[in-house]
Amino acid sequence: MDELRLTAYHEAGHAIASREMEIAIISITIVPDGAVAGSVHCNTACRCPFNTAVILSAGLAATNRLNGITSDINGIIIDAIAAKSEIDLIEAYWAVSEYNLTEDETERAAWVAYKQATELVKTHWQAVEAIAGALLRQGTLTGAEVAALLNEAE
């Protein structure tokens, strides 16, 4: 699958979760910047580690849904969390580690965050597709453009 398309859906997943966590988006881009293929820029940081983990996991949730991976991936995701082998899940793992949980509890919290992200992406799939499509056409969207797309899609 085209890497640019995957990046667009990935960033759209982050955008949907950011909105759900009431984090205002300044811009979103799929224009590469060094080693970074795309990014979502927000005006504030999420103050809740679990919500941060949901936002971070939503990019992977969106690309998994795009690729048709929508069920029975529990083992793969749990293994990725445990092995810390998927960058979004690594970041989600470290976000929830701020709670000073045991390693097993932290892995479980990261898994729950991924599951919540998966549900957000599923519920708002039409908005994910709208944002990803606009990103593929324009490369970068302002926060206002993202908000308009979200409002139109829902």
Side-chain angles (χ1 to χ4, degrees), residues 50 52-55 57-58 92 96 108-118:
F50 181 78
T52 299
V54 172
I55 293 167
S57 298
V96 294
R108 176 74 182 141
W111 168 241
V112 171
Y114 175 79
K115 288 296 283 182
Q116 185 172 333
T118 300

Side-chain angles (χ1 to χ4, degrees), residues 117-141:
T118 300
E119 285 303 312
L120 283 174
V121 166
K122 179 181 175 184
T123 300
H124 301 286
W125 187 244
Q126 188 174 5
V128 170
E129 289 191 310
I131 292 168
L135 282 169
L136 288 167
R137 287 187 301 278
Q138 295 173 231
T140 300
L141 301 171

Side-chain angles (χ1 to χ4, degrees), residues 15 18 23-29 39-45 140-147:
S18 295
I23 304 296
I25 296 168
I26 296 171
S27 65
I28 179 172
T29 187
S39 59
V40 176
H41 300 277
C42 299
N43 68 354
T44 60
T140 300
L141 301 171
T142 66
E145 290 170 323
V146 171

Side-chain angles (χ1 to χ4, degrees), residues 49-118:
F50 181 78
N51 289 351
T52 299
V54 172
I55 293 167
L56 293 168
S57 298
L60 177 63
T63 54
N64 281 345
R65 183 171 176 86
L66 176 65
N67 287 321
I69 305 170
T70 57
S71 62
D72 277 347
I73 60 167
N74 295 3
I76 295 167
I77 299 301
I78 289 170
D79 289 347
I81 291 168
K84 299 170 187 63
S85 62
E86 163 60 52
I87 191 66
D88 284 336
L89 295 177
I90 293 167
E91 291 173 353
Y93 177 91
W94 289 113
V96 294
S97 71
E98 290 185 30
Y99 288 122
N100 296 318
L101 305 171
T102 67
E103 187 168 343
D104 286 345
E105 291 168 331
T106 302
E107 288 173 12
R108 176 74 182 141
W111 168 241
V112 171
Y114 175 79
K115 288 296 283 182
Q116 185 172 333
T118 300

